[in-house]
Amino acid sequence: MGRRIFLAISLVLVSFQIFSQTIVLNKTGWIEVKGNLTHWRDEARKLTLDEIRLLKLDSVASDKAPNFGFDRAAHWFRIDVKNESPFTEWQLEVAYAPLDHVDFYILSDSSLAWTHKLAGDRYPIKVRDLWHRHPVFGFEIPQGQTKSIYLRVNTISSVQLPVILWNPSAFQTATYNIQLINGLFFGGMILMLLYQLFLFISMRDRVTFYYVLTLLSMVNIVAFFQGYTFLYVYPAHPAMNDIFAMFSGPVFVLSSTLLTRSFLNLKKFSPLLDKLMIANTALNVVAGLAMFIFFPHISYEYHHYFILIHCLLALTSAGYCFHKNYRSARYYLIAWITLLIATVFFTISNLGFVPGYMSTNYSGLMIGCILQMLFIAFALGDRWNILRRENQLAKELELKRNQEENERLEREVQLRIDEIQQKSEKLAEVNRVKDKLFSVVSHDIKGPLSSLQLALSLLKSGDVSREEFQHLTKALETRFSQTTEFIENLLQWATLQLKGETYEPDYIDLSRIAEETITLMDSDLQRKDIKVKNNLHPSLQAYADLNMIRSILRNLLTNAIKFTGNGGTITLNAMRTDRQVVLSVTDTGVGIPPANQHRMFTLGSITTPGTKQEKGTGLGLLLCKEFVEKNGGRIWFESVEGRGTTFFFSLPESQEGVQEIASA
């Protein structure tokens, strides 16, 4: 009795299970099968329909579309369909394009034989019941009847079976709506691609070209998984599906790697991330080539891992560069976040880790592509703005540098012009003074010689008395003395101008040199009854060249005598200051007129006569200036017209003083 009850309960449970998996067609015109089917995995791929019908198929536990990931085994599915709708014609759509072989079996009403139809991307589109991107099978089922449909799937891609049952009218409406949405997506992507291509042709920007390649590869991947490339590009050549599947992933990884490395300047910010991206790309390309050579022994699932790793590396690189204050990386970071989220769900779904609707429903991947396209476009725009500002700044800096360089050149040219002008003026002055000097030289040498010739002629004629002879001799002596002084100064000045005076400094006794010079001038002093007061201390010393200082004192005393009247006074004083000795020669003579003061110490002061019309050339003061400066000092004067003049000149007190003056 208990055994009968157990069997009855088991039959009820089995009946309930079968009933619960039966798809009821209603007047809505469409229904998703999801997990309401049974399944058998054919490892050897040798079972026939008759053999499968004898087996008890396993229930699919999930209420989502079946998803077994990458599996080379054949998978059988049974769908029990009961028609409670007013429609007898229906269509079964497998809403996943990249399936190699899909076999459709349904029992015919008339002959009770099984109808067999084929689809899949290993067959030309023309073998399908309907010219559509997905495998679609038409069948009839009378109202109120229940039929079993068997599907066999064998593919090297991900094994997924999102099945939808459609009334033809509802299918046409849904297809139109989906085509409209997909058309907007692909149209927008193609427009963006053409726009970026135009920018590349206009700007020749390498990053823009890499972005064009990335957009093209993204569009190709989405179009491939939605079946559009097979439907519109090569419908009669199904072998192209495998080639597209082999290289779509590596091309996307390669192009987006080039884009990421170039856009982020990744080698500069992180050589490690740069090398990791290159390595991942190289492995993916090698995997694609190996798959092409050894097809079909290498699974497509490796491409998914490479793409997933690539998205993570791109996201990490963008985040790292943004962390390093690379401003343009912000939009790039957001772009890869959106694509990474979509790619992660799509990839793990294809790998069979989550239900299949995440990969067969492409809206997430399309939204991710659109967002990435927009944000990368923002990133490129932001980068172009930054480059434009940097270029503008560089141009401004270059313009500023050019202006500064032009100003510098103008200053140098002006300096050269000023130097040339000064040299020209100096040369003109030298020429003028030269002419004047030659005139004076001619006059001062020719005059005494003429006087001498006249005196000799008178003496020769014997017409000169003794008194006249003495007077003539005295006049000639004065003239020859002045001429000798002039020639001596002229020779010293010429020597200094041509090869420079020999400078041999040493410690010298200024008081003794002054006394010697006064003694040499004794006859001139007595002739004009001029008194000299030498107030130099006997121990007064300086560090200078002896011969130059003698020449300086001699010329200053000569000038003082020349411009001091009879009975006048000449005073020599000295004082110490800042490691220097300052000497002064003061006379009570006629003074220097203000109009002539600016010409002192130049050749322009040659023609000034003394109190008794003594001739002068001005060479003496010029020599004084050059000799004083040669010894590291300076010379100046103070004069009041009609009251006298004082000449000052400074000399270093010691050798250390010379060094201090030189360093200053």
Side-chain angles (χ1 to χ4, degrees):
M1 183 68 180
R3 186 175 180 181
R4 291 180 181 178
I5 294 173
F6 175 76
L7 290 174
I9 294 173
S10 300
L11 289 173
V12 170
L13 291 175
V14 170
S15 306
F16 180 77
Q17 181 182 14
I18 295 173
F19 177 76
S20 66
Q21 291 179 342
T22 300
I23 303 299
V24 179
L25 305 178
N26 52 45
K27 60 181 180 180
T28 59
W30 72 280
I31 187 171
E32 288 186 79
V33 174
K34 296 184 180 179
N36 295 314
L37 42 70
T38 54
H39 165 260
W40 185 267
R41 182 175 182 272
D42 179 12
E43 176 72 28
R45 294 175 291 181
K46 295 181 179 180
L47 294 177
T48 64
L49 175 63
D50 293 333
E51 292 172 334
I52 287 295
R53 289 176 58 204
L54 298 176
L55 297 175
K56 181 182 177 181
L57 276 60
D58 300 323
S59 299
V60 177
S62 174
D63 61 345
K64 310 298 181 184
N67 182 2
F68 300 96
F70 289 89
D71 188 3
R72 298 297 178 92
H75 291 262
W76 287 86
F77 301 92
R78 172 179 169 174
I79 305 172
D80 295 317
V81 181
K82 182 178 181 181
N83 188 7
E84 293 184 0
S85 73
F87 314 109
T88 58
E89 292 186 359
W90 287 82
Q91 292 172 333
L92 183 147
E93 177 190 13
V94 181
Y96 186 61
L99 294 173
D100 293 346
H101 303 276
V102 181
D103 295 88
F104 174 88
Y105 298 93
I106 190 169
L107 193 64
S108 173
D109 291 333
S110 58
S111 61
L112 298 180
W114 289 91
T115 300
H116 180 209
K117 298 181 179 181
L118 289 174
D121 59 11
R122 289 294 180 90
Y123 305 102
I125 290 290
K126 65 182 180 180
V127 305
R128 299 185 180 184
D129 265 8
L130 188 66
W131 189 286
H132 194 266
R133 58 195 179 94
H134 291 154
V136 179
F137 306 97
F139 65 94
E140 292 184 0
I141 179 170
Q143 295 181 11
Q145 289 191 13
T146 299
K147 285 192 175 184
S148 296
I149 299 174
Y150 286 90
L151 294 173
R152 181 182 183 274
V153 177
N154 180 27
T155 183
I156 62 173
S157 62
S158 180
V159 180
Q160 303 185 52
L161 200 74
V163 176
I164 305 174
L165 299 172
W166 297 93
N167 169 263
S169 177
F171 179 73
Q172 185 177 5
T173 301
T175 299
Y176 173 80
N177 293 333
I178 293 173
Q179 291 283 75
L180 181 62
I181 295 173
N182 289 341
L184 292 174
F185 167 77
F186 287 109
M189 295 290 285
I190 291 173
L191 284 176
M192 177 60 73
L193 191 149
L194 293 175
Y195 173 68
Q196 295 296 331
L197 185 61
F198 170 76
L199 289 179
F200 165 69
I201 295 173
S202 303
M203 301 172 61
R204 299 294 179 182
D205 181 41
R206 181 177 56 182
V207 176
T208 306
F209 177 70
Y210 293 154
Y211 182 43
V212 169
L213 293 181
T214 304
L215 278 177
L216 187 61
S217 62
M218 289 168 56
V219 170
N220 173 66
I221 289 176
V222 176
F224 171 78
F225 277 98
Q226 290 189 337
Y228 284 112
T229 51
F230 186 27
L231 180 63
Y232 294 117
V233 181
Y234 45 86
H237 304 283
M240 294 294 296
N241 274 314
D242 292 324
I243 297 176
F244 267 73
M246 292 173 193
F247 294 107
S248 292
V251 168
F252 167 73
V253 172
L254 176 62
S255 59
S256 55
T257 295
L258 294 172
L259 174 64
T260 302
R261 295 180 66 241
S262 183
F263 182 90
L264 298 176
N265 198 6
L266 191 58
K267 189 175 182 180
K268 171 185 174 183
F269 286 102
S270 176
L272 176 60
L273 287 172
D274 184 67
K275 291 177 181 177
L276 288 175
M277 290 201 75
I278 294 174
N280 183 69
T281 303
L283 290 174
N284 197 2
V285 172
V286 169
L289 293 174
M291 186 177 293
F292 179 77
I293 297 171
F294 301 106
F295 181 82
H297 301 290
I298 300 175
S299 176
Y300 287 117
E301 66 178 308
Y302 296 113
H303 284 337
H304 291 70
Y305 291 121
F306 287 125
I307 291 176
L308 191 60
I309 293 171
H310 169 74
C311 292
L312 288 171
L313 286 174
L315 181 64
T316 304
S317 299
Y320 183 79
C321 293
F322 182 71
H323 172 69
K324 290 295 184 178
N325 297 321
Y326 183 55
R327 184 171 175 268
S328 296
R330 54 181 178 172
Y331 291 118
Y332 204 79
L333 176 63
I334 299 173
W336 281 99
I337 288 176
T338 57
L339 186 64
L340 177 66
I341 293 173
T343 303
V344 165
F345 281 108
F346 182 80
T347 302
I348 63 178
S349 179
N350 271 346
L351 293 172
F353 298 142
V354 295
Y357 77 99
M358 291 187 178
S359 59
T360 56
N361 183 0
Y362 299 100
S363 58
L365 186 61
M366 292 165 65
I367 291 172
C369 290
I370 291 173
L371 290 176
Q372 193 212 32
M373 175 190 70
L374 292 176
F375 284 118
I376 289 184
F378 291 153
L380 287 175
D382 187 58
R383 173 178 173 270
W384 291 330
N385 288 332
I386 292 174
L387 290 177
R388 180 178 57 81
R389 287 194 294 269
E390 290 178 350
N391 186 47
Q392 183 66 27
L393 181 60
K395 288 182 178 178
E396 291 176 357
L397 291 175
E398 183 65 23
L399 180 60
K400 185 177 179 181
R401 283 196 294 268
N402 289 337
Q403 290 176 346
E404 292 175 351
E405 182 66 17
N406 290 336
E407 291 175 358
R408 186 186 66 81
L409 291 175
E410 288 177 1
R411 288 194 298 270
E412 288 186 359
V413 169
Q414 188 61 44
L415 286 174
R416 297 295 181 270
I417 292 174
D418 293 343
E419 289 178 2
I420 293 172
Q421 184 68 25
Q422 291 174 2
K423 290 180 179 178
S424 178
E425 292 175 356
K426 188 174 180 181
L427 182 60
E429 176 68 14
V430 168
N431 287 332
R432 184 182 65 81
V433 173
K434 177 198 68 176
D435 295 339
K436 199 171 186 179
L437 182 60
F438 285 160
S439 175
V440 172
V441 168
S442 172
H443 181 272
D444 285 4
I445 294 178
K446 185 178 180 181
L449 291 177
S450 298
S451 299
L452 179 60
Q453 185 180 12
L454 179 60
L456 290 174
S457 298
L458 291 174
L459 288 174
K460 185 177 180 181
S461 64
D463 295 334
V464 181
S465 65
R466 185 177 183 84
E467 290 78 11
E468 290 176 339
F469 179 76
Q470 289 179 350
H471 178 74
L472 183 61
T473 303
K474 188 175 182 181
L476 287 174
E477 183 181 2
T478 301
R479 293 294 299 274
F480 274 106
S481 176
Q482 294 173 352
T483 303
T484 302
E485 177 190 348
F486 166 69
I487 292 176
E488 184 178 348
N489 283 336
L490 180 62
L491 290 175
Q492 279 189 309
W493 180 79
T495 302
L496 187 64
Q497 297 302 313
L498 292 174
K499 58 182 181 181
E501 188 75 13
T502 303
Y503 174 61
E504 297 177 350
D506 200 353
Y507 288 99
I508 58 175
D509 187 341
L510 294 176
S511 178
R512 184 176 59 83
I513 296 171
E515 288 294 341
E516 291 175 353
T517 306
I518 293 170
T519 302
L520 289 173
M521 302 293 171
D522 187 58
S523 59
D524 295 330
L525 292 170
Q526 290 180 6
R527 186 171 58 250
K528 298 182 73 172
D529 193 20
I530 297 174
K531 295 181 180 180
V532 178
K533 296 180 180 180
N534 183 7
N535 297 328
L536 302 186
H537 194 277
S539 62
L540 184 64
Q541 286 188 338
Y543 187 78
D545 184 278
L546 176 61
N547 293 325
M548 291 184 181
I549 303 306
R550 282 175 174 167
S551 180
I552 293 168
L553 285 173
R554 178 174 55 78
N555 276 288
L556 290 179
L557 283 172
T558 300
N559 272 353
I561 294 169
K562 184 186 302 180
F563 295 103
T564 301
N566 292 339
T569 304
I570 298 175
T571 305
L572 276 70
N573 288 313
M575 63 179 178
R576 290 186 175 92
T577 174
D578 296 332
R579 295 194 178 185
Q580 286 188 326
V581 178
V582 179
L583 281 75
S584 64
V585 178
T586 305
D587 62 62
T588 57
V590 296
I592 304 172
N596 294 338
Q597 289 184 8
H598 70 282
R599 296 187 300 169
M600 304 304 292
F601 307 114
T602 68
L603 285 175
S605 60
I606 338 184
T607 59
T608 307
T611 56
K612 288 191 174 183
Q613 300 302 311
E614 298 97 329
K615 298 294 183 180
T617 62
L619 281 176
L621 289 179
L622 187 60
L623 279 173
C624 288
K625 181 178 183 297
E626 296 193 8
F627 283 163
V628 168
E629 292 177 351
K630 190 78 171 179
N631 283 275
R634 68 185 187 93
I635 187 169
W636 68 99
F637 66 92
E638 295 175 358
S639 181
V640 178
E641 191 175 5
R643 297 179 59 181
T645 303
T646 301
F647 280 90
F648 302 88
F649 68 94
S650 62
L651 296 172
E653 187 178 13
S654 62
Q655 187 174 3
E656 291 76 10
V658 176
Q659 295 172 352
E660 286 185 4
I661 294 171
S663 62

